[in-house]
């Protein structure tokens, strides 16, 4: 589902892979690699929007860039958000690289529509299904954020916001901003 932390998890995984202590379960968040990935300025972590980079030419460019080694981390990590938006021909062009990826390359695909990814691609992926976030967890997170931002938020308001978000932390943050 949307707003459940797929891209956030992808970025944390990228930090875990490229941390100077890594690959590690807990990235330090202090080394240059972790900071650059956190600030979205790392040359080794490439985020691609599948909705706007969905052509064969886009994938051909990606296939050319995977040949180059990472700049400072151990891995070059390609995170493709909304990967289901790639065209059929783009998926076919990507398939060759997925079958024999260079040892320094990791692909992370995020999507709200896994059923729209061709089975030939899915069969080459390790899959993690995200679920909607439970209401009590969202309520607690909203209260933590409100407290940190010095907002006066009642328990009832926090519950109502969390309920309206329907399991999406991103949506509850947008509602809280409003």
């Amino acid at each position: 589902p949307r707003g459940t932390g797929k891209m956030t998890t992808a970025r944390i995984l990228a930090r875990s892979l490229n941390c100077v202590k890594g690959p590690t379960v807990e990235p330090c968040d202090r080394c240059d690699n972790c900071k650059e990935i956190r600030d979205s300025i790392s040359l080794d972590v490439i985020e691609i929007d599948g909705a706007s980079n969905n052509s064969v030419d886009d994938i051909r460019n990606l296939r050319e860039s995977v040949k180059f080694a990472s700049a400072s981390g151990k891995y070059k990590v390609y995170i493709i958000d909304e990967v289901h938006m790639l065209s059929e021909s783009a998926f076919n062009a990507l398939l060759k690289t997925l079958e024999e990826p260079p040892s320094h390359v990791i692909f992370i695909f995020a999507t709200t529509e896994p059923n729209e990814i061709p089975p030939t691609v899915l069969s080459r992926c390790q899959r993690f299904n995200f679920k909607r976030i439970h209401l009590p967890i969202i309520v607690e997170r909203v209260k933590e954020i409100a407290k940190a931002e010095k907002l006066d938020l009642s328990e009832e308001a926090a519950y109502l916001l969390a309920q309206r978000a329907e399991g999406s932390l991103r949506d509850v943050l947008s509602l809280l901003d409003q």
Side-chain angles (χ1 to χ4, degrees):
R2 57 190 215 91
T4 55
K6 295 178 295 296
M7 287 300 290
T8 299
T9 302
R11 291 180 190 112
I12 293 169
L13 179 57
R15 284 198 317 262
S16 294
L17 291 167
N18 281 332
C19 178
V20 294
K21 295 181 177 181
T24 179
V25 174
E26 294 184 31
C28 73
D29 288 329
R30 290 185 304 276
C31 69
D32 288 342
N33 289 345
C34 284
K35 288 177 186 176
E36 288 175 4
I37 295 168
R38 181 194 63 219
D39 297 339
S40 299
I41 58 170
S42 173
L43 298 175
D44 293 333
V45 178
I46 298 93
E47 290 188 27
I48 300 167
D49 175 23
S52 55
N53 296 284
N54 58 6
S55 72
V56 174
D57 289 335
D58 293 321
I59 298 303
R60 284 187 184 132
N61 291 337
L62 181 148
R63 283 176 38 196
E64 286 301 312
S65 74
V66 300
K67 295 175 184 176
F68 300 105
S70 56
S72 60
K74 292 179 181 79
Y75 297 97
K76 202 166 189 180
V77 181
Y78 290 86
I79 302 172
I80 305 180
D81 190 19
E82 298 302 338
V83 70
H84 69 275
M85 298 293 286
L86 296 181
S87 66
E88 184 178 340
S89 52
F91 272 122
N92 288 335
L94 181 60
L95 198 55
K96 175 77 170 140
T97 305
L98 290 178
E99 289 171 341
E100 299 172 16
S103 61
H104 66 277
V105 172
I106 305 274
F107 288 100
I108 301 174
F109 299 153
T111 183
T112 54
E113 303 292 334
N115 55 315
E116 293 184 24
I117 298 173
T120 52
V121 172
L122 279 178
S123 68
R124 287 157 176 83
C125 297
Q126 188 173 14
R127 185 171 166 177
F128 299 92
N129 292 319
F130 285 60
K131 297 177 184 173
R132 294 188 187 281
I133 302 167
H134 295 292
L135 187 66
I137 294 170
I138 294 179
V139 169
E140 285 309 309
R141 186 67 181 133
V142 167
K143 289 177 3 186
E144 288 171 11
I145 293 167
K147 183 178 179 182
E149 297 293 324
K150 297 177 177 50
L151 298 174
D152 184 26
L153 186 70
S154 70
E155 180 81 27
E156 183 180 349
Y159 183 82
L160 181 61
L161 289 171
Q163 195 173 32
R164 297 220 28 224
E166 298 178 344
S168 169
L169 191 57
R170 184 178 57 221
D171 287 356
V172 82
L173 295 178
S174 295
L175 290 169
L176 185 60
D177 279 344
Q178 293 173 14

